[in-house]
């Protein structure tokens, strides 16, 4: 069964950064149709956090207006409404809450209907794919009250994903993570085109145990490599920058401004917003930003790119489903098919993100910053180091839970850092492998 993008008809193909949602939009539609049918045939009482969400909407005139109009603003034409096969769409906030109620007790899995296989790694994002692209959706998902309740919703889902019940999808069925498709893709992603190891030879697990020894979906998601699989590059060469996350290059920018209009097309980086108005942000004015995104099947722990001292380490709460309003999504004009691919720069200034600032031992590097940026369901960015701690290059500094999005490395303008991998690669740059090299101070 071939599920590659090359075999998806153009009219059904959607670019998906990191492959968190299916490249074949028919898979997305079939998955949503199945969820909606299940909810309609097996209605359940709303989870308490969703009752709170409903009360927020219905008790606030402005939010009620925006949630109602958000669904009304979705064009009444294909592919946004029922197609000839009868796919159902989410058409109201009441319906949205019922579907959310089901998602809170399910873990991400593959859809295997109609001989098309695809990973729905961000199910809530899949449900809101069209609504959040409307003008009302843009306003709603920037609202602090909406984001506060969404954080509670995502934390409730996170509790399930950390429970033994969530491990049910870690099986060998066609929709399971260790099924034929899942295992093939997991293995290919981890081998990065350079080796042919089996999954159990690369990751710490027990293939003879139930669920490969993983007690929950999150434990599987935050799995660790076996010793020697991802060695630290140049441990004795401080001029080599190690890759902080197993990821695909997205963009490299030089001469970045302290503040810029990150919400417009082109999404110029805005350092003071990225760094949450931290007092040290000004030290990076005119510097370099490297951004790369994480694949849905990748390793999701972060590692220090340099040897040095942790100066700052904190998580800034932000948005979860805000995407830039580049296109006027109206009844006569459809959504930007780039989806979340078009918002990678934007979310560095708006989404929930971990900010770690490091004073490198190498004076040619000096002060640098790492950003681990959450997207959609990724509500937990866990930092595992403390301010004042000294870390070695390649040492773990944190991880994403329940998903992953993108990350940035920021260097000040006096650092001559060269040799970053270019966007458009076929495989991830290995974590702890060489990312770039510092030549000399400028």
């Amino acid at each position: 069964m071939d599920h590659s993008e090359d075999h998806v008809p153009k009219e059904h193909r959607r670019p998906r950064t990191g492959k968190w949602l299916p490249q074949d939009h028919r898979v997305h539609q079939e998955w949503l149709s199945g969820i909606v049918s299940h909810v309609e045939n097996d209605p359940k009482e709303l989870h308490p956090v969703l009752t709170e969400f409903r009360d927020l909407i219905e008790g606030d005139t402005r939010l009620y207006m925006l949630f109602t109009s958000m669904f009304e603003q979705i064009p009444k034409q294909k592919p946004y409404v029922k197609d000839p096969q009868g796919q159902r769409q989410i058409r109201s906030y009441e319906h949205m809450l019922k579907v959310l109620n089901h998602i809170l007790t399910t873990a991400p899995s593959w859809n295997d209907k109609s001989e098309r296989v695809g990973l729905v790694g961000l199910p809530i994002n899949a449900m809101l794919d069209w609504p959040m692209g409307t003008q009302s959706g843009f306003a709603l998902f920037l609202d602090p009250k909406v984001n506060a309740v969404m954080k509670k919703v995502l934390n409730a889902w996170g509790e399930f994903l950390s429970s033994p019940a969530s491990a049910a999808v870690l099986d060998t069925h066609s929709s399971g993570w260790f099924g034929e498709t899942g295992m093939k893709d997991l293995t290919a992603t981890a081998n990065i085109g350079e080796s042919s190891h089996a999954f159990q030879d690369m990751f710490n697990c027990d293939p003879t145990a139930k669920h490969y020894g993983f007690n929950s979906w999150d434990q599987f998601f935050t799995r660790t490599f076996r010793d020697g699989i991802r060695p630290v590059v140049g441990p004795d060469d401080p001029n080599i920058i190690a890759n902080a996350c197993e990821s695909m290059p997205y963009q490299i920018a030089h001469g970045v401004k302290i503040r810029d209009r990150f919400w417009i097309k082109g999404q110029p980086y805005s350092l003071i917003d990225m760094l949450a108005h931290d007092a040290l942000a000004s030290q990076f004015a005119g510097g370099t930003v490297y951004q790369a995104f994480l694949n849905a099947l990748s390793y999701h722990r972060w590692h220090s790119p340099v040897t040095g001292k942790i100066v700052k380490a904190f998580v800034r709460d932000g948005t979860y489903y805000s995407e830039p309003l580049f296109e006027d999504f109206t009844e006569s004009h459809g959504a930007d098919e780039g989806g979340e691919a078009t918002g990678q720069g934007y979310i560095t200034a708006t989404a929930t993100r971990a900010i770690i600032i490091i004073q490198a031992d190498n004076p040619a590097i000096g002060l640098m910053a790492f950003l681990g940026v959450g997207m959609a369901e990724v509500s937990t960015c866990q930092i595992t180091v403390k301010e004042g701690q000294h870390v070695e290059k390649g040492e773990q500094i944190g991880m994403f839970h329940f998903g992953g999005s993108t990350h940035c490395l920021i260097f000040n303008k006096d650092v001559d850092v060269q040799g970053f991998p270019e966007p458009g690669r076929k495989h991830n740059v290995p974590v702890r492998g060489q990312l770039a090299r510092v030549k000399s101070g400028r």
Side-chain angles (χ1 to χ4, degrees), residues 11-14 16 25 28-29 32 36 70-84 86-92 95 126-134 323 327-339:
E11 65 269 23
H12 297 296
R13 188 183 305 169
R14 293 196 70 198
R16 298 292 194 179
H25 192 62
H28 181 164
Q29 288 180 313
L32 185 55
V36 168
M70 175 175 72
F71 292 99
E72 292 174 348
Q73 288 168 1
I74 299 171
K76 293 182 173 64
Q77 60 191 39
K78 291 178 64 178
Y80 313 108
V81 296
K82 293 181 181 178
D83 70 8
Q87 267 80 20
R88 303 173 180 88
Q89 296 294 313
I90 310 297
R91 304 305 295 185
S92 68
H95 198 194
M127 181 188 68
L128 296 173
D129 200 26
W130 300 134
M132 67 185 183
T134 64
E323 62 180 19
E327 301 289 345
D328 187 15
F329 189 6
T330 65
E331 294 238 355
S332 60
H333 194 291
D336 181 348
E337 292 191 353

Side-chain angles (χ1 to χ4, degrees), residues 73-255:
Q73 288 168 1
I74 299 171
K76 293 182 173 64
Q77 60 191 39
K78 291 178 64 178
Y80 313 108
V81 296
K82 293 181 181 178
D83 70 8
Q85 282 72 47
Q87 267 80 20
R88 303 173 180 88
Q89 296 294 313
I90 310 297
R91 304 305 295 185
S92 68
Y93 74 84
E94 297 98 335
H95 198 194
M96 173 192 77
L97 292 173
K98 291 177 182 177
V99 174
L100 270 175
N101 199 48
H102 172 74
I103 291 174
L104 289 185
T105 56
T106 61
S109 62
W110 269 265
N111 176 80
D112 63 346
K113 295 181 180 179
S114 304
E115 298 184 350
R116 288 186 291 272
V117 177
L119 171 65
V120 182
L122 297 175
I124 302 175
N125 190 85
M127 181 188 68
L128 296 173
D129 200 26
W130 300 134
M132 67 185 183
T134 64
Q135 292 180 353
S136 291
F138 178 70
L140 273 175
F141 293 114
L142 283 173
D143 187 277
K145 289 190 288 186
V146 172
N147 281 301
V149 75
M150 282 307 307
K151 181 177 181 179
K152 293 181 180 180
V153 170
L154 296 173
N155 285 342
W157 191 49
E159 290 177 9
F160 172 77
L161 294 180
S162 299
S163 73
S166 68
V169 297
L170 304 177
D171 59 23
T172 57
H173 291 103
S174 58
S175 60
W177 285 83
F178 299 132
E180 181 181 355
T181 300
M183 185 61 84
K184 177 182 176 183
D185 284 4
L186 284 167
T187 304
T189 299
N191 275 307
I192 57 174
E194 297 179 1
S195 57
S196 56
H197 299 301
F199 178 87
Q200 61 266 26
D201 295 331
M202 291 184 282
F203 295 100
N204 290 304
C205 64
D206 181 1
T208 66
K210 187 177 183 179
H211 308 312
Y212 273 60
F214 296 110
N215 296 322
S216 69
W217 187 83
D218 185 58
Q219 189 181 70
F220 157 73
F221 189 81
T222 57
R223 60 194 177 275
T224 55
F225 281 114
R226 293 191 183 276
D227 290 344
I229 293 297
R230 292 293 187 268
V232 179
V233 65
D236 299 319
D237 188 344
N239 290 323
I240 297 178
I241 306 294
N243 190 29
C245 296
E246 188 110 341
S247 52
M248 297 280 277
Y250 175 74
Q251 184 170 259
I252 304 155
H254 302 286

Side-chain angles (χ1 to χ4, degrees), residues 396-415:
Q396 180 181 297
I397 57 175
M399 70 190 83
F400 287 118
H401 288 271
F402 322 132
S405 174
T406 191
H407 80 288
C408 296
L409 297 183
I410 307 174
F411 300 88
N412 72 65
K413 65 180 178 63
D414 294 322
V415 179

Side-chain angles (χ1 to χ4, degrees), residues 294-438:
L294 282 74
N295 184 291
L297 308 177
S298 296
Y299 172 84
H300 287 92
R301 294 176 182 250
W302 324 324
H303 294 259
S304 181
V306 297
T307 295
K309 180 182 177 182
I310 305 296
V311 177
K312 292 281 184 75
F314 62 98
V315 174
R316 175 60 180 259
D317 284 342
T319 63
Y320 299 100
Y321 295 95
S322 177
E323 62 180 19
L325 198 63
F326 293 147
E327 301 289 345
D328 187 15
F329 189 6
T330 65
E331 294 238 355
S332 60
H333 194 291
D336 181 348
E337 292 191 353
E340 73 276 9
T342 64
Q344 289 283 303
Y346 171 82
I347 62 174
T348 65
T350 60
T352 296
R353 55 204 180 276
I355 299 169
I356 302 175
I357 300 177
I358 306 170
Q359 180 67 50
D361 288 354
N362 183 356
I365 299 172
L367 200 69
M368 67 158 299
F370 165 89
L371 263 69
V373 186
M375 178 185 73
E377 278 83 322
V378 193
S379 58
T380 302
C381 300
Q382 181 187 0
I383 296 172
T384 58
V385 290
K386 297 179 179 180
E387 293 180 3
Q389 180 178 338
H390 190 271
V391 295
E392 296 296 321
K393 180 167 62 176
E395 186 175 338
Q396 180 181 297
I397 57 175
M399 70 190 83
F400 287 118
H401 288 271
F402 322 132
S405 174
T406 191
H407 80 288
C408 296
L409 297 183
I410 307 174
F411 300 88
N412 72 65
K413 65 180 178 63
D414 294 322
V415 179
D416 186 2
V417 57
Q418 302 176 10
F420 287 111
E422 293 293 329
R425 290 170 57 100
K426 186 176 180 180
H427 299 286
N428 283 331
V429 179
V431 67
R432 309 209 303 178
Q434 181 163 336
L435 181 72
R437 175 180 283 273
V438 174

